[in-house]
Amino acid sequence: MSRILFISPKPYSPWEGACHRTRHILEAQIALGYDVDLLTPTEGQTPTVADSVTTIPLPRLPFCRRTPTLPSLLRLTLDLLALLKILWLAGNTRYALIHGQGNSGVLAWAAARLLRIPCIVELRNDPAPDPAHRRGLIPALYRRLEHKALRQADAVIGHDAATVARLTDLGCHSRACVIADIPAVTEVADAPARNLAKARYRTLTDQDLVTCVASYTRFQGLDLFFNALPRLLATLPHTRCVVVGGGPEEIAQMREALDRAGIHEAVTFPGRLSTSELAALLAISDVLVSSRRAGATAPIKVLDYLLSGTPIVAVDTPANRAILSPENAVITPATPEGLADGLIRLLRSPGLRTELRLKGRETLRRENRTPEAFHAALARCYTYALSRSEAE
């Protein structure tokens, strides 16, 4: 059986949306029949996928608590150590190809060139670094190496069409492989799980339940949602809200702010939920909210919303518009008043809620946001990279 070296520069956390991409790639590699060596930082957890994945720690220095992500002398040192480790691993294992995510794309390219095996570079939708971190000799060196890696990689994977545009600018658009994100919450909540969620989040049987998944690691764009609550509760006072995500300190700050506004009793903060708990909560909610304003790629939580079949209210921003439209959601202006009015409209319209419930999974199928489509796309990418390498 062929073995792949898969390099992920980010510590794995089951709460973080970007890390679900890592899990989906691993699951696809296993489904395609590969064994996998996962080279990743030691600070994170181990993805629970299959015995055919062997986790290998990236090198670290004794004084370095966390693996740096931005270009620096420390990161350059660690990348050189990682390159030596990969060459040592390749002395005992014959890899079919090397697949590097995000900041590890340069490392994957350098190792593959030395080993004369195919290289896959996967671009990630990480936030753009502060301009101050782009100045200096080492950041300039990394940018130059990244351009070489993208030009010379056998295939480049991206989340959306922006990958094609970027590689077109570099004169190698034929190597672009667009593999869109898929939902992270794939569990189907059974009756006991839904009943438990109802007992936890609904204090009255006739309450409307509005849920907002803020983030797996931190709150994002919640000011719109919180500022919309007074208008929503003034009109529909029996509404109950659940905000998922955030750590204890963030939750304490949000509770204090809501307490000052006099609406803290209407909002529950369960913190970070497992995917099975989240699946049950999404299933029993009446409306799901996406107030995300940053970015241009559909948030994974919105994909989870669509899979759950629960109606969605989303503010009109590029991130939400990437997969949502008036066909499958209520789209509102990006203002507290607009969001509140959209929630009120949907909560008062049982017929509209029923109509939207039917559109979520249909959208995912139409947009090829399914595990089967994800696996097939990765298979095509690997086949192309392997055939291209053999032809050279």
Side-chain angles (χ1 to χ4, degrees):
M1 186 177 291
S2 298
R3 181 171 288 274
I4 287 174
L5 180 63
F6 180 37
I7 312 173
S8 176
K10 196 175 186 67
Y12 182 82
S13 167
W15 315 114
E16 189 165 350
C19 290
H20 289 297
R21 177 83 177 192
T22 299
R23 176 168 58 85
H24 293 150
I25 290 287
L26 289 169
E27 291 170 346
Q29 290 168 337
I30 294 165
L32 296 176
Y34 290 101
D35 287 330
V36 184
D37 283 351
L38 172 62
L39 193 61
T40 191
T42 57
E43 304 97 272
Q45 301 182 26
T46 300
T48 304
V49 279
D51 293 337
S52 54
V53 175
T54 301
T55 302
I56 302 171
L58 278 166
R60 61 181 301 178
L61 299 174
F63 57 85
C64 180
R65 290 189 176 183
R66 296 190 64 84
T67 302
T69 57
L70 295 173
S72 63
L73 182 59
L74 177 58
R75 183 182 152 198
L76 178 61
T77 302
L78 291 173
D79 279 349
L80 290 174
L81 292 175
L83 180 59
L84 292 176
K85 184 164 189 173
I86 292 170
L87 297 179
W88 178 81
L89 289 170
N92 301 303
T93 304
R94 181 175 178 81
Y95 292 113
L97 59 84
I98 298 180
H99 180 152
Q101 273 189 330
N103 295 328
S104 291
V106 170
L107 175 60
W109 162 76
R113 294 282 290 182
L114 291 173
L115 296 171
R116 298 181 180 277
I117 59 178
C119 168
I120 307 289
V121 173
E122 181 181 351
L123 300 176
R124 294 181 68 156
N125 292 327
D126 293 328
D130 187 296
H133 296 294
R134 296 181 59 85
R135 293 193 290 267
L137 180 61
I138 292 180
L141 172 63
Y142 269 95
R143 287 195 299 274
R144 187 178 182 86
L145 291 175
E146 183 184 50
H147 286 169
K148 287 183 69 67
L150 293 175
R151 287 194 186 97
Q152 297 180 7
D154 294 285
V156 178
I157 297 175
H159 298 222
D160 50 37
T163 304
V164 179
R166 184 173 182 184
L167 292 187
T168 299
D169 292 340
L170 295 174
C172 50
H173 68 276
S174 64
R175 298 177 201 168
C177 300
V178 177
I179 305 180
D181 282 322
I182 58 175
V185 180
T186 55
E187 293 92 335
V188 176
D190 56 21
R194 291 196 299 271
N195 290 336
L196 184 61
K198 287 177 182 177
R200 183 177 184 185
Y201 299 112
R202 289 184 186 271
T203 57
L204 298 173
T205 55
D206 62 343
Q207 280 182 327
D208 288 320
L209 188 62
V210 175
T211 296
C212 178
V213 180
S215 172
Y216 291 99
T217 53
R218 62 189 185 280
F219 290 123
Q220 290 182 3
L222 278 183
D223 56 322
L224 277 178
F225 180 58
F226 287 141
N227 288 325
L229 290 184
R231 187 182 182 98
L232 169 64
L233 295 171
T235 306
L236 300 173
H238 293 297
T239 303
R240 182 85 175 178
C241 302
V242 180
V243 177
V244 179
E249 292 184 3
E250 291 173 303
I251 291 174
Q253 292 175 356
M254 292 301 102
R255 280 181 172 154
E256 183 179 346
L258 294 177
D259 187 27
R260 291 195 299 268
I263 57 175
H264 64 284
E265 293 184 354
V267 184
T268 299
F269 293 92
R272 297 164 184 164
L273 300 179
S274 67
T275 53
S276 58
E277 292 174 311
L278 184 56
L281 173 58
L282 297 182
I284 64 134
S285 298
D286 294 292
V287 175
L288 305 174
V289 179
S290 177
S291 56
R292 178 76 170 266
R293 287 187 288 187
T297 302
I300 289 181
K301 70 179 181 184
V302 172
L303 306 180
D304 294 335
Y305 287 1
L306 290 167
L307 185 63
S308 74
T310 301
I312 301 169
V313 174
V315 296
D316 193 356
T317 59
N320 287 326
R321 281 284 188 176
I323 196 163
L324 298 179
S325 69
E327 178 187 349
N328 56 21
V330 172
I331 306 297
T332 76
T335 63
E337 298 78 15
L339 181 56
D341 290 344
L343 287 167
I344 293 167
R345 175 192 167 205
L346 189 54
L347 289 170
R348 282 179 166 175
S349 307
L352 180 57
R353 293 210 301 270
T354 300
E355 180 183 341
L356 292 178
R357 286 182 189 278
L358 304 175
K359 299 298 178 95
R361 294 181 182 179
E362 178 185 321
T363 299
L364 293 174
R365 286 192 295 270
R366 186 176 65 246
E367 297 288 331
N368 290 322
R369 303 283 190 141
T370 65
E372 296 77 16
F374 192 95
H375 295 177
L378 188 68
R380 289 192 297 270
C381 176
Y382 281 6
T383 299
Y384 171 78
L386 290 169
S387 62
R388 185 176 181 276
S389 178
E390 290 173 359
E392 291 182 349

